Amino acid sequence: MNIIAHKKIFVAIGVGIVLLSMGIIAVFGLRLGIDFTGGSLTEVAYGERPEKAAAQGAIDTLDLELGAYSLRVATTDTGAAAFNLRTRDLTETERQQVSEALSSLGQDGEVVRFTSIGPTIGAELRDKAVWAIGAVVMIIILYVAWAFRGVGRPVGSWTFGGITILALIHDVLVPTAVMALLGVFRGAEIDVLFVMAILAVLGYSVNDTIVVFDRVRENLVKSRQEK
């Protein structure tokens, strides 16, 4: 097979992709959503969206200490032009003031989404997401080591588990790097849905890997029997 004959080339390509993905994540970082950082997200849709500078001016004139905030041009699920305003956690009075200031701009301004999560809940969700991914990875290692027990020479059962983890790292780093780029150029944020997607990727990745390993096991047993 060409893959076996040129395995060094394919391994080099895989290593290159992993290193590139790690570099992208290290340089650009991940833009965490309010699910993990806490805060408020206000999305205001318009029939005709005003200039971003006008929206920023309306926010700055409010008698509120919002601190650092993020205002981004966006599009709603229905395709309407909108602004996404990300701020600290707002009280009900502050939310009304911000909503009125933004919806009064442009044509047919309307708040179509408001989400608020406290910093404590955001930190708890972030910790649980990390534990969930870590637990899944450990269960996968144990399962692969158990499923391929008794294979013996020249490949031990724990070697199969280690190789599975390397494949998982590759399959997780690539979409994470893509999200890092989307966060820089499109304002995409890491949220709970992304964590669910990563867990799904882990499931499909280990399924494909086990299919390959099962054929490797068959060939190893067959080779020993022929000897």
Side-chain angles (χ1 to χ4, degrees):
M1 296 176 63
N2 290 332
I3 294 180
I4 301 300
H6 304 286
K7 59 181 180 296
K8 292 184 179 180
I9 297 177
F10 289 100
V11 170
I13 293 174
V15 172
I17 293 175
V18 169
L19 293 178
L20 177 61
S21 299
M22 294 176 62
I24 291 174
I25 296 172
V27 172
F28 297 108
L30 297 175
R31 183 180 176 86
L32 298 179
I34 63 172
D35 289 349
F36 299 133
T37 62
S40 296
L41 177 65
T42 305
E43 185 174 51
V44 185
Y46 302 91
E48 184 177 346
R49 183 172 50 208
E51 294 293 330
K52 183 177 179 180
Q56 289 176 330
I59 297 171
D60 293 337
T61 55
L62 294 174
D63 188 19
L64 300 175
E65 296 181 0
L66 295 179
Y69 65 85
S70 173
L71 181 68
R72 288 184 173 271
V73 174
T75 303
T76 65
D77 295 336
T78 59
F83 282 124
N84 280 346
L85 174 65
R86 179 178 173 179
T87 63
R88 60 169 175 77
D89 192 22
L90 300 178
T91 65
E92 180 60 23
T93 301
E94 292 172 336
R95 182 192 70 80
Q96 292 179 357
Q97 291 179 335
V98 170
S99 299
E100 292 174 0
L102 290 177
S103 59
S104 62
L105 300 173
Q107 180 182 348
D108 300 328
E110 179 185 7
V111 177
V112 295
R113 180 167 59 127
F114 178 79
T115 305
S116 182
I117 297 179
T120 302
I121 297 177
E124 183 179 352
L125 287 174
R126 182 176 64 248
D127 294 340
K128 287 184 176 180
V130 173
W131 279 106
I133 294 175
V136 169
V137 170
M138 286 304 301
I139 291 173
I140 289 173
I141 295 176
L142 294 175
Y143 170 74
V144 171
W146 177 83
F148 291 91
R149 69 193 186 284
V151 175
R153 54 183 176 81
V155 182
S157 60
W158 288 104
T159 303
F160 283 102
I163 296 174
T164 301
I165 294 306
L166 293 178
L168 293 179
I169 292 174
H170 173 277
D171 294 341
V172 168
L173 279 178
V174 173
T176 303
V178 172
M179 281 297 297
L181 292 176
L182 291 176
V184 174
F185 299 106
R186 299 296 298 274
E189 298 178 341
I190 302 294
D191 55 12
V192 174
L193 291 178
F194 178 76
V195 175
M196 294 173 61
I198 289 297
L199 292 176
V201 169
L202 289 174
Y204 283 111
S205 176
V206 73
N207 179 72
D208 293 342
T209 304
I210 287 177
V211 170
V212 175
F213 283 175
D214 193 52
R215 180 55 60 86
V216 171
R217 174 171 56 182
E218 291 178 1
N219 290 335
L220 287 175
V221 174
K222 182 179 179 180
S223 176
R224 285 203 298 266
Q225 290 175 347
E226 291 176 352
K227 292 180 180 180

